[in-house]
Amino acid sequence: MNNFDDIEALWKAPQRLDIPAADAIVKKAVKEKNQIARKILVQSFCMCLALAAIIYVTLFVHFQFISSYIGIAIMVICMITYTIIRLRQSLFLKRVDFSQSPNDLLQQFEKFHQHQKWINTKGVMWYTIFLNLGFAFYFYETVAIAHAKLFWKILFIVIYISWMLIATLWLGKRSVRKEHAKTNAIIEKLKQLKEGLQ
């Protein structure tokens, strides 16, 4: 009877992952990690191009009102801050070492995911508010005071607001969902690896 109990316990015990299965899980997790890091780098590069364009406009266009310079300063500070935060995330992903224990990796990625969620919700909300505040100051001279027909001013503002709504509520949310899904996939693979190696 004792032997039967031992066999039954062995049968019910969770199966340990063999090394090829563990290697496959790690490879998939590394692939997901690299995709997130690449996306962040592309986003940061685009942000740097936008910053360069803003600096170019500031250097070669002579604004009459201080409000334009205040708006540009707010936009530049927002963009630089957001880019630095995103580059720090990318740096973490680049430096993470998958030869560590699954438990340590899991803790690191859960912490990263919490930070990622904060950035993609409250962080983006504050970024959007201050960026639009900067644009409001900038638009005072370029739109409100500009010598153009009211129709063109309204059209310009409608196009800007439409683009901000599309970028924030549709493109941004879709991008965030994909990024979070990849991070969740890494966390699930690490949990699977941790359980399989116990």
Side-chain angles (χ1 to χ4, degrees):
M1 195 68 168
N2 221 7
N3 288 340
F4 180 75
D5 289 342
D6 290 343
I7 292 169
E8 185 181 18
L10 185 62
W11 179 260
K12 289 182 178 179
Q15 297 297 312
R16 288 171 58 91
L17 286 175
D18 59 355
I19 297 301
D23 283 347
I25 290 170
V26 169
K27 281 180 185 175
K28 286 179 185 174
V30 169
K31 183 181 175 187
E32 300 279 354
K33 173 201 76 131
N34 289 339
Q35 287 174 346
I36 298 169
R38 221 176 2 260
K39 180 202 164 214
I40 292 171
L41 285 176
V42 168
Q43 187 183 55
S44 299
F45 177 74
C46 291
M47 198 71 83
C48 289
L49 288 178
L51 275 167
I54 289 171
I55 291 167
Y56 176 83
V57 166
T58 306
L59 292 175
F60 294 100
V61 175
H62 300 289
F63 297 105
Q64 296 176 352
F65 294 93
I66 193 75
S67 61
S68 298
Y69 293 104
I70 291 170
I72 288 170
I74 293 170
M75 286 187 277
V76 166
I77 290 167
C78 280
M79 294 169 83
I80 288 173
T81 303
Y82 186 72
T83 303
I84 288 170
I85 289 168
R86 293 296 277 166
L87 285 172
R88 284 183 66 204
Q89 286 182 308
S90 178
L91 195 60
F92 161 78
L93 291 169
K94 240 182 175 179
R95 288 182 177 170
V96 73
D97 181 10
F98 273 82
S99 65
Q100 296 178 70
S101 74
N103 193 43
D104 291 343
L105 279 170
L106 185 58
Q107 287 176 357
Q108 288 177 21
F109 271 96
E110 283 175 340
K111 187 177 175 184
F112 171 79
H113 191 45
Q114 288 302 316
H115 184 253
Q116 184 186 48
K117 282 194 243 182
W118 187 90
I119 294 296
N120 290 332
T121 53
K122 290 184 182 164
V124 167
M125 179 191 74
W126 286 110
Y127 169 78
T128 305
I129 288 168
F130 280 105
L131 188 70
N132 284 304
L133 179 67
F135 269 113
F137 276 104
Y138 176 73
F139 285 158
Y140 177 71
E141 181 174 347
T142 56
V143 177
I145 309 276
H147 299 293
K149 290 184 178 178
L150 184 61
F151 169 80
W152 296 112
K153 291 179 182 183
I154 291 170
L155 181 65
F156 182 78
I157 291 170
V158 166
I159 289 170
Y160 171 76
I161 291 171
S162 300
W163 167 245
M164 285 307 293
L165 290 172
I166 290 167
T168 307
L169 301 176
W170 184 56
L171 296 174
K173 287 195 175 186
R174 194 177 83 180
S175 175
V176 164
R177 273 195 304 271
K178 285 182 180 178
E179 189 176 313
H180 285 241
K182 287 184 189 304
T183 306
N184 278 327
I186 293 169
I187 289 170
E188 288 308 312
K189 285 174 181 65
L190 291 172
K191 283 179 181 174
Q192 188 182 351
L193 193 63
K194 180 184 169 185
E195 288 168 11
L197 295 177
Q198 283 177 347

